[in-house]
Amino acid sequence: MLKTVRLVFMLLIITILTACNNNNQETTEKPENKKVEESQKSNEDSMEGNPIENSKIIREITPQLVKDIKKILIDDASKLWPSFNNEDKQILLLNPSNKMAYLINNQKTDIGPKDEVIEYSTDSIKDTQLLVMPFQLTTFNDHPTYVFNLEFASDLISGKDEKAAYENVFKFIVHEGIHILLQSGGSVEGLGTRAETYPEDIDSRYYRNEMYQYLKDAINSKTKDEKIEQIQKAVYFYELYLNSNKKNKDQDGYDNIEGMATYLESKAYQMIKHPDTSAKELNELTAQNIIDNFIGADQGKEEVLLMKGREFYDIGALAIASAVDMQLNEKTILTASPLGLLDSEFGSKKAEGHENIKKANNDYYNDYNIKLKSYVDDIASKQKDDQYAAVRIPVTIQNSSASFEDMIVEYQYKGNPAEIQTTTREIILPDTRIKLNKMKSLYLEAPMEGLEDPTKMNPNTIMGYTIVFVPKKDIEFSQDKLLTIQRDDLLIFDAKYEEKDGEYQILMN
């Protein structure tokens, strides 16, 4: 079964939503320096984790990052994937802590040659919104630009040596670049919510782990016939998975979106490490790199279960590696459900599976469901508790980025679909700033019909609402009808609000 999969705008997972807005510059940003290798003055106080060490590592790896990102996403983009061409697009790497920015593939000839990296001080960038978004597709100097803020890769650096830090950050930049530059546009199919459902379908997780195992076996097989047999066994469990519940079908497209980005981030890294290798060897190195980065859910035990949050990434990537290995059509690989494509080409073959995987899966996900229930019950109890109040906060396009802790779980709030999230996020409204710090809350999407091009969304468009449940004793009200909450997990100062539908609803103006 094939499904056309194209990206409209992406949610980061594990982590962050990519908000794409059209921040047109009124004037051309002028560079202050032009050599990437020049010394960089750091402002190391703003980064989390180990601020001094993280800032130092970012400063040290940035010159090589700039060169390699230019090579991969601009100069050799078509070698990364045949239809990939970014000749008319710019890349802006930001490093606010060190007050540096690097413009790659500059399209404005009056500030420098196209093939020369233009270096800026971030102090000279007038659109300060660029400095607080993790990554986005926007307009810079009147040209479409993929902007990536290196500070948001800080968590990938902490505790790592320089080589590991470089690999993680390089792959992160390429991964999001694939979403934004290669997969953008068109319609989306097979993209249901990524949120957890309670109770977790234990059989589905078992089918997915068998798919991963057989896809790995296909990569390691020596002959074409052996590869096909292992692919067919993976497809057998794919068919069981796809037909076991509607949500699995709804999410099928994510194997393409995250799988392709994961496959190409690994391929890009191998292209840098092995610049002269053949296409076949490069695919083998790429697949092995994906396998080597396996993250086990059952760490400390059997370590045979792929972490659930990695399923779209690693299963999709290994399926794509097999499709490339079997020389399937590149245009189809780019847009098709990876397992669906392998199914249509090779069919399925009944497989017995692995008893150790089944047992480990059952043990792990029975415990997992206990945790899920506790997560849901906590919000449900606060919603019913008269000692708590619901505060509804609008989230606009420009405030869409967030880091996520723990899991995201589906929830019904007053009959409307919602997600339980634990997030760190700053929300800037016209009259106030709101800060959530690892706070458990609900998120409800707002209707956004008619927005065909996500890069042209008004940054003040409301994309959803965060609803927090706060003890009533922690809420202060002023005579001017302003609301203030000061907690470790939530800060709101003098926000305009109205009481409606049993909530304190924060107003945009």
Side-chain angles (χ1 to χ4, degrees), residues 277-313:
T277 192
S278 68
K280 179 175 174 55
E281 290 172 331
L282 186 60
N283 186 57
E284 291 172 353
L285 289 167
T286 299
Q288 190 58 51
N289 183 252
I290 294 162
I291 292 169
D292 290 344
N293 283 291
F294 171 87
I295 301 175
D298 54 336
Q299 293 184 19
K301 297 181 181 179
E302 287 261 349
E303 297 195 8
V304 295
L305 299 181
L306 179 64
M307 183 178 286
K308 183 174 184 288
R310 293 296 309 173
E311 287 181 6
F312 299 132
Y313 300 79

Side-chain angles (χ1 to χ4, degrees), residues 357-402:
I357 291 179
K358 189 166 189 176
K359 182 181 185 306
N361 182 82
N362 289 343
D363 291 345
Y364 179 82
Y365 282 104
N366 278 320
D367 290 342
Y368 192 83
N369 271 332
I370 294 172
K371 184 179 180 182
L372 268 179
K373 185 177 187 302
S374 174
Y375 201 70
V376 173
D377 287 349
D378 178 61
I379 282 287
S381 64
K382 289 176 180 175
Q383 184 182 345
K384 297 173 183 177
D385 193 336
D386 290 339
Q387 302 301 310
Y388 281 78
V391 180
R392 179 183 289 247
I393 305 166
V395 180
T396 64
I397 294 292
Q398 69 175 342
N399 294 317
S400 59
S401 66

Side-chain angles (χ1 to χ4, degrees), residues 423-425 435-440 488-491:
T423 60
T424 296
R425 139 183 282 153
K435 175 75 174 180
L436 282 72
N437 181 33
K438 298 181 180 179
M439 184 169 196
K440 187 183 290 186
D488 290 342
D489 55 5
L490 178 65
L491 292 175

Side-chain angles (χ1 to χ4, degrees), residues 421-432:
Q421 304 177 347
T422 301
T423 60
T424 296
R425 139 183 282 153
E426 186 172 17
I427 298 172
I428 303 171
L429 300 178
D431 297 318
T432 190

